Amino acid sequence: NAGVMQNPRHLVRRRGQEARLRCSPVKGHSHVYWYRQLPEEGLKFMVYLQKENIIDESGMPKERFSAEFPKEGPSILRIQQVVRGDSAAYFCASSLGQEEVYEQYFGPGTRLTVT
Amino acid sequence: AQSVTQLDSQVPVFEEAPVELRCNYSSSVSVYLFWYVQYPNQGLQLLLKYLSGSTLVKGINGFEAEFNKSQTSFHLRKPSVHISDTAEYFCAVSDRGGGYQKVTFGTGTKLQVIP
């Protein structure tokens, strides 16, 4: 009975390095959302993906950030050349369907620290 | 654009006392409303949601919330809190008719139950 799994739970990167965050949705879910929580702020929508498709990336910074959800394997959020301002908790959520009535199930988050 | 305001960042309350966590939202369209709870080092868990129908919504763990359209509020209440309710609570909103849940979260309210 696995829920949404995210790894790693904690990630430390030096400025300029790449960060890769993984999200395995609930089994059978093909819709994935990524959110970012900066210190003392609420979660902010970043991107919504279905298998092999990016549906809405309006919340993603234009540079250095990318996301994918391949046909096989977990969804990946990649941050290139990280900066201190990228330090945050990144949450992934999955849902069974696209429609608004479907609940989003959240993972425990990855806490990224950029030194 | 939507926004969610949770005015109280922390709410201390004695065990078995009632509690109300306040939430106000703004949106130019009709919305869905949610309350999530986050226990330490865990992901968000859905407490309750308002999609349509009765404005009084009952959720898990004895919580309920009332949708007030004229005051654009969705306050969360529990008549008698338990130590295990100590957690952070997030109010959230998503626009109706968007086709999928693009959720906007408040900054959270930390509920501290005092024995």
Side-chain angles (χ1 to χ4, degrees), chain B:
Chain B
Q2 316 147 326
S3 68
V4 179
T5 302
Q6 293 181 249
L7 286 173
D8 305 308
S9 58
Q10 294 192 38
V11 172
V13 63
F14 286 103
E15 193 174 14
E16 297 183 8
V19 69
E20 178 179 85
L21 305 184
R22 296 180 295 167
C23 172
N24 289 86
Y25 69 92
S26 67
S27 177
S28 56
V29 299
S30 296
V31 296
Y32 298 118
L33 294 156
F34 310 86
W35 274 98
Y36 286 86
V37 60
Q38 185 179 30
Y39 298 103
N41 297 317
Q42 294 187 27
L44 279 71
Q45 180 183 1
L46 183 66
L47 265 182
L48 50 80
K49 60 185 175 185
Y50 171 76
L51 300 182
S52 64
S54 172
T55 56
L56 182 63
V57 181
K58 294 193 183 297
I60 61 171
N61 301 341
F63 284 93
E64 64 180 31
E66 186 153 21
F67 170 51
N68 187 320
K69 188 175 181 180
S70 63
Q71 296 188 4
T72 60
S73 67
F74 191 54
H75 301 330
L76 181 70
R77 301 187 187 98
K78 186 169 182 178
S80 175
V81 295
H82 189 266
I83 291 287
S84 59
D85 293 324
T86 295
E88 189 158 19
Y89 293 79
F90 292 92
C91 181
V93 62
S94 72
D95 284 346
R96 287 177 185 270
Y100 55 89
Q101 279 188 24
K102 189 172 175 179
V103 184
T104 299
F105 288 84
T107 51
T109 298
K110 290 187 172 78
L111 175 63
Q112 183 186 6
V113 180
I114 304 163

Side-chain angles (χ1 to χ4, degrees), chain A:
Chain A
N1 185 20
V4 177
M5 304 190 58
Q6 291 188 248
N7 67 81
R9 294 290 306 276
H10 300 274
L11 181 61
V12 179
R13 284 286 178 266
R14 291 200 184 97
R15 279 178 297 171
Q17 291 185 319
E18 178 179 285
R20 278 191 174 218
L21 288 62
R22 292 174 185 76
C23 168
S24 296
V26 172
K27 189 175 181 181
H29 287 192
S30 58
H31 302 260
V32 165
Y33 302 77
W34 284 93
Y35 295 85
R36 177 166 68 172
Q37 184 179 28
L38 294 169
E40 306 304 320
E41 294 187 19
L43 282 74
K44 297 278 197 295
F45 169 84
M46 297 182 75
V47 61
Y48 164 49
L49 310 105
Q50 295 178 18
K51 284 281 187 181
E52 300 184 277
N53 286 304
I54 297 174
I55 307 301
D56 181 346
E57 57 182 347
S58 59
M60 289 269 275
K62 293 288 185 282
E63 298 175 353
R64 301 187 297 108
F65 284 72
S66 62
E68 62 178 15
F69 188 18
K71 187 176 180 181
E72 302 290 339
S75 175
I76 306 284
L77 179 67
R78 182 187 304 169
I79 312 171
Q80 296 177 303
Q81 299 176 328
V82 296
V83 301
R84 288 229 171 97
D86 297 332
S87 294
Y90 292 83
F91 290 92
C92 165
S94 73
S95 68
L96 182 60
Q98 174 176 325
E99 289 75 20
E100 295 149 326
V101 295
Y102 288 101
E103 180 179 342
Q104 290 186 22
Y105 292 82
F106 283 79
T110 294
R111 280 151 181 82
L112 172 65
T113 302
V114 179
T115 61

